[in-house]
Amino acid sequence: MKFLLFTFVGVVHLFSLNSGKAIYKNDNSQRTFQEIKEEVARYGDVAKAIINLAVYGKAQNRSYERLALLVDTVGPRPSGSKSLEKAIQIMYQNLQEDGLENVHLEPVKIPHWERGEESAVMLEPRIHKMAILGLGSSIGTPPEGITAEVLVVTSFEELQRRAREARGKIVVYNQPYVNYSKTVQYRVQGAVEAAKVGALASLIRSVASFSVYSPHTGIQEYQDGVPKIPTACITVEDAEMMSRMASRGNRIVIQLKMGAKNYPDADSFNTVAEIIGSKYPEQVVLVSGHLDSWDVGQGAMDDGGGAFISWEALSLIKDLGLRPKRTLRLVLWTAEEQGGIGGFQYYQSHKENISNYSLVMESDEGTFLPSGLQFTGSEKARAIMEEVMTLLQPVNITQVFRAGEGTDINFWIQAGVPALALTWKLRSPNMTPARFRGPQRKKDNGAAGT
Ligand SMILES: *[C@@H]1O[C@H](CO)[C@@H](O)[C@H](O)[C@H]1NC(C)=O
Ligand SMILES: *[C@@H]1O[C@H](CO)[C@@H](O)[C@H](O)[C@H]1NC(C)=O
Ligand SMILES: *[C@@H]1O[C@H](CO)[C@@H](O)[C@H](O)[C@H]1NC(C)=O
Ligand SMILES: *[C@@H]1O[C@H](CO)[C@@H](O)[C@H](O)[C@H]1NC(C)=O
Ligand SMILES: *[C@@H]1O[C@H](CO)[C@@H](O)[C@H](O)[C@H]1NC(C)=O
């Protein structure tokens, strides 16, 4: 069930939408909405067949089992690693064995960063070994580490105000958690802002709404012309404690050691498979997830789940002997965690055909029990999408929210292509059955990415 929704929509709208061009160009078709609505409704039986196969039939647990096998076998798949390339080769083979069409790899140069050994020990006001996770692309420290006094701030504004105190220190950011997109700026730009005022290193409170003494990782970005300083995330608990210590006037000293290294860019690939459309083969509906992960987890949720439900969409169609009107294209991105490197390369290589892209989808928000889809596009296209979603009535997941997005598909969205993302988030207090409560969002609860 948890894997069903995205899969299903990927499948059904292919049959039902009038014309990708119509949507893309804000509807230049001659058909009335009523006619489109009737056409969508005619896919009720197809929809039921897909639901039955995915929820009750032989595909019931398939994407879960396929994903478990990959992540158990290969483990974490960080950008630039051998294990990522192994996963790509396995998927290439899996997609061919699945009988999908036009299975191929598209080359991408990707960053290669390794964290190495890392540690942080508070020396004053008391000895305390802290859990840390270095941030992607951070430089390391000298082998003997950096030992310095700490300046705790709660915002970039406070850092500006206290710029003179920051020189020669380790800046600790104890920014409050607002939401992921707002608060992640501290992880991404924290080192640059600290370096600008002469800090030696920066430690950032993990961008999380909840913590069990669990530091997060993710990408950070240096800026040309600003010195590069080592940077890592600390736990919410340690950030809060140092904040309390500083407000009591304690002098805090930390010894930070990081063995992080950046290597030359590595060769990698986006992995592509298709079911070629029967009527408009040149028109593309893209479903996707990313294969790379961070190094400190298995990457099952971020984003193995998204990658595998996208594959499942094609598998289900093939198993039922269906062929959509438009080409259904699966892309398993590489190096999303480094800032959508694979997604950007794909956009560069394929944007000349943009007018033949009907819809782009990415699932990278977690694949728990879905609450609906997030859509970005014209209001007319949204109305059609809402019709398509009525076909999901049998599983009672019919909602269409705002703001469909994804790191790898945002290039297309910005260029005007309609987009969908699977969501399991709560959007309205009216839909809060107990099973929905709990973590707010995948990215707040594990190794985080952009
Ligand atoms: C699905 O597969 C997983 C992994 O093999 C297994 O743990 C789980 O029990 C299965 N669930 C069902 C409903 O078959
Ligand atoms: C995050 O919080 C900021 C500031 O409150 C707000 O402007 C923004 O809309 C929020 N973003 C999301 C995705 O909720
Ligand atoms: C663009 O689309 C045409 C088919 O319409 C295809 O032959 C060609 O390979 C595509 N180009 C790229 C770069 O994908
Ligand atoms: C889109 O496909 C049509 C064929 O249906 C073709 O004539 C047109 O050139 C394609 N557009 C692009 C930009 O490739
Ligand atoms: C269907 O979903 C809605 C909202 O998501 C919920 O209020 C309702 O109870 C659900 N119905 C069933 C039969 O589960």
Side-chain angles (χ1 to χ4, degrees), residues 60-62 64-66 68-69 72:
Q60 192 181 44
N61 204 22
R62 181 169 61 189
Y64 187 107
E65 282 165 4
R66 283 170 164 174
L69 178 62
D72 292 347

Side-chain angles (χ1 to χ4, degrees), residues 54 73 102 158 167-169 172-173 200 208 231 238 256 266 268 331 333 370 405 408 411:
T73 307
N102 198 11
E158 184 180 355
R167 180 156 300 278
K169 295 211 176 112
V172 166
Y173 292 97
L200 302 179
T231 184
D238 281 337
L256 175 69
S268 188
V331 185
W333 312 107
E405 49 113 45
D408 300 293
F411 310 104

Side-chain angles (χ1 to χ4, degrees), residues 21 280 282-283 351-356:
K21 270 188 182 161
Y280 311 109
E282 73 291 345
Q283 293 182 18
K351 65 182 176 190
E352 66 183 43
N353 277 347
I354 190 164
S355 59
N356 281 333

Side-chain angles (χ1 to χ4, degrees), residues 178-179 181-182:
V178 179
N179 56 40
S181 49
K182 171 117 177 105

